[in-house]
Amino acid sequence: MLKKKITITKNDFNKTLRDILIDLNINPETVLVKIDGIFKPISTVIKKETEIEVLVVIK
Amino acid sequence: MNIKCDKCSKDALIYLAYGKHNFCKDHFNDFFESRFKKTIRQFKLFSQKDYLGVATSGGKDSMVLLYLINKIFREKRINFCAIFVDEGTDNYSNKTFQVVKDFCTKENIKLVTSSHKKEFDISTQEIGEKYDKKEGTVCTYCGVLRRKTLNRLANKEKVSKLLTGHNLDDECQTILMNLLDNDTLRFFRTGPETGIIDIENTRPRIKPFYLTPEKEIAAYALFNQIPFHDCNCPFFRTAKRNHFRNFLNETEIIHPGSKFSLVKSFLKIKELSNLKKIITKKNLKKCKICKEDTSQDICKACELISKIKKI
Ligand code: SF4
Ligand SMILES: [Zn+2]
Ligand SMILES: [Zn+2]
């Protein structure tokens, strides 16, 4: 399973993971996201610098 | 930053845009399993008296299917077995088989197997080395042989229903592909249960994940640590299907729930059409080579095999 690590910085604070992924050209319908090794819903709003792990579950 | 589950105070793990649901692991599992059971009831896919054969490739869809049948229906005393077809692809089939075999051993599930080599005296690897590109991709051959072998194993094992891991995304892609190919016969052949009207596959095939999105199957597998293999078959080529997969996933972002709507519209059209009556078993013949049911003089598998053996 393809995994990508992405760091979310200031410009994207207060946006949902879903919107951040769309901006990065990643379809949120095809991935699951982990933060600190725990799955997080894409409705999560990012408020501080965060490293996310994106698991591509639909090729 | 943490989003709470809609149903309890735990942190949510997943968001389902079409229903605006945020669920923790337990409530996602409940939601997922309820829909699985409801699909089986709604389409009357099987009953207590059936003997189920679960077509298991080792991928996430079929492993979650086998896991759920074992989890939910073993205690209801419904008989089932796993069926595995070894395509004979170097560095791939052995890995997929290992996943299935280990799971079946651990859970004490009967495993029925055969291979392309055994059934047709040619493996997918050998097909890949000599196939006729005019006949499509290696998958064209491998898919036809796989369906035939599954049917043979199902007949031999006397299973009454063959279960496959086809999910909502697969079904949406198939509907669109058949529609845009103007292939009305195939268009109406698909559905949660096929095989009765699908002449070359006389064993009824059922799809308990007919209304389950692919992403949720992956999530369920990962949340519950269900083993599956995720390696790519070296011959995997489905450019056309990929196009529709991308299109559907793009649409789903803008209009959440589109995949459900597409399948539901399809079912309504199917219900309203009387084309169903045209697709009957009236043209059923016996293949001149393998003597199995077909709509032609020679079945598709025998036709492809004889072509490739001449190359
Ligand atoms: S990807 Fe194609 S060739 Fe490979 S196992 Fe699947 S159907 Fe066969
Ligand atoms: Zn909950
Ligand atoms: Zn034949």
Side-chain angles (χ1 to χ4, degrees):
Chain A
M1 194 164 286
L2 192 66
K3 291 176 189 171
K4 295 178 200 166
K5 291 212 167 158
I6 298 164
T7 304
I8 298 169
T9 52
K10 212 164 56 206
N11 285 347
D12 284 327
F13 290 171
N14 296 318
K15 284 189 194 164
T16 61
L17 279 173
R18 183 177 183 279
D19 290 342
I20 295 169
L21 290 169
I22 292 172
D23 286 347
L24 290 166
N25 253 332
I26 298 172
N27 187 324
E29 284 304 314
T30 61
V31 300
L32 291 168
V33 179
K34 277 180 166 182
I35 298 176
D36 293 333
I38 297 165
F39 286 103
K40 292 286 171 193
I42 51 168
S43 51
T44 302
V45 177
I46 302 296
K47 301 215 179 223
K48 58 176 190 312
E49 189 163 306
T50 311
E51 187 185 61
I52 64 166
E53 192 183 352
V54 179
L55 280 78
V56 181
V57 293
I58 300 183
K59 283 169 204 147
Chain B
M1 193 158 97
N2 290 343
I3 303 275
K4 294 290 170 201
C5 171
D6 288 354
K7 301 204 175 238
C8 73
S9 58
K10 285 190 208 146
D11 287 346
L13 257 60
I14 191 163
Y15 175 68
L16 309 179
Y18 55 81
K20 295 195 171 71
H21 303 303
N22 283 297
F23 286 138
C24 69
K25 180 186 161 189
D26 291 343
H27 283 110
F28 172 70
N29 281 351
D30 283 354
F31 176 83
F32 186 92
E33 291 170 20
S34 299
R35 181 177 48 205
F36 176 75
K37 288 187 267 190
K38 193 176 158 212
T39 307
I40 293 167
R41 276 198 311 274
Q42 181 183 342
F43 298 112
K44 300 188 177 63
L45 294 184
F46 58 82
S47 66
Q48 191 76 34
K49 61 178 184 349
D50 278 309
Y51 175 30
L52 310 175
V54 184
T56 317
S57 68
K60 65 179 183 323
D61 304 301
S62 62
M63 289 307 290
V64 173
L65 178 60
L66 186 60
Y67 173 92
L68 282 176
I69 293 291
N70 187 42
K71 180 179 174 186
I72 300 168
F73 295 103
R74 182 181 280 246
E75 62 185 36
K76 295 195 192 316
R77 300 198 173 279
I78 291 187
N79 282 327
F80 66 95
C81 65
I83 303 183
F84 178 85
V85 178
D86 175 356
E87 301 96 355
T89 305
D90 291 356
N91 216 2
Y92 174 75
S93 302
N94 54 342
K95 290 182 192 160
T96 60
F97 181 58
Q98 200 59 46
V99 174
V100 177
K101 196 171 141 217
D102 290 349
F103 185 79
C104 289
T105 307
K106 184 169 157 266
E107 298 296 331
N108 198 17
I109 296 169
K110 182 175 184 184
L111 175 59
V112 181
T113 67
S114 191
S115 64
H116 286 357
K117 188 76 185 166
K118 197 168 156 198
E119 300 289 326
F120 308 102
D121 197 28
I122 190 162
S123 67
T124 293
Q125 191 68 34
E126 289 163 336
I127 294 172
E129 281 153 21
K130 58 189 291 197
Y131 81 105
D132 180 356
K133 292 193 172 57
K134 287 199 283 296
E135 287 291 333
T137 63
V138 180
C139 298
T140 314
Y141 291 81
C142 184
V144 169
L145 301 191
R146 185 180 146 78
R147 276 195 292 280
K148 184 100 174 162
T149 305
L150 278 174
N151 212 41
R152 282 184 183 170
L153 289 174
N155 282 329
K156 205 166 137 198
E157 183 62 21
K158 294 192 171 58
V159 305
S160 54
K161 298 269 171 97
L162 195 57
L163 282 69
T164 67
H166 290 97
N167 57 51
L168 177 70
D169 296 45
D170 297 324
E171 292 307 301
C172 288
Q173 293 151 22
T174 303
I175 291 168
L176 287 184
M177 277 161 67
N178 290 335
L179 200 57
L180 297 184
D181 275 346
N182 189 22
D183 194 336
T184 320
L185 197 66
R186 272 179 195 266
F187 179 76
F188 282 103
R189 256 190 207 172
T190 60
E193 172 159 5
T194 58
I196 298 167
I197 50 172
D198 186 349
I199 300 166
E200 290 198 9
N201 297 304
T202 46
R203 192 65 43 175
R205 283 161 185 253
I206 54 172
K207 303 168 185 168
F209 288 144
Y210 192 72
L211 298 175
T212 303
E214 182 174 355
K215 179 179 169 175
E216 289 173 45
I217 298 177
Y220 187 88
L222 292 168
F223 295 174
N224 295 287
Q225 277 128 35
I226 298 167
F228 66 91
H229 82 81
D230 189 42
C231 40
N232 271 341
C233 168
F235 298 113
F236 180 72
R237 294 279 179 284
T238 52
K240 196 170 177 186
R241 194 168 272 278
N242 276 344
H243 170 79
F244 287 104
R245 177 180 291 122
N246 293 340
F247 167 76
L248 285 158
N249 285 327
E250 294 293 329
T251 310
E252 195 67 26
I253 300 181
I254 308 162
H255 303 293
S258 295
K259 292 176 192 168
F260 288 112
S261 299
L262 178 61
V263 158
K264 283 175 186 166
S265 299
F266 165 74
L267 289 172
K268 274 185 210 152
I269 296 169
K270 193 169 169 171
E271 191 62 46
L272 290 170
S273 103
N274 53 14
L275 263 165
K276 215 172 158 185
K277 290 179 199 142
I278 301 170
I279 316 162
T280 63
K281 282 192 173 186
K282 71 174 188 294
N283 296 324
L284 201 64
K285 298 177 187 174
K286 294 279 175 206
C287 168
K288 284 186 178 153
I289 299 174
C290 69
K291 314 279 182 262
E292 291 169 32
D293 292 342
T294 175
S295 56
Q296 309 296 322
D297 290 337
I298 292 171
C299 76
K300 191 74 186 158
C302 290
E303 182 199 315
L304 288 174
I305 289 290
S306 46
K307 265 189 197 157
I308 203 154
K309 286 195 175 161
K310 276 186 205 138
I311 297 173

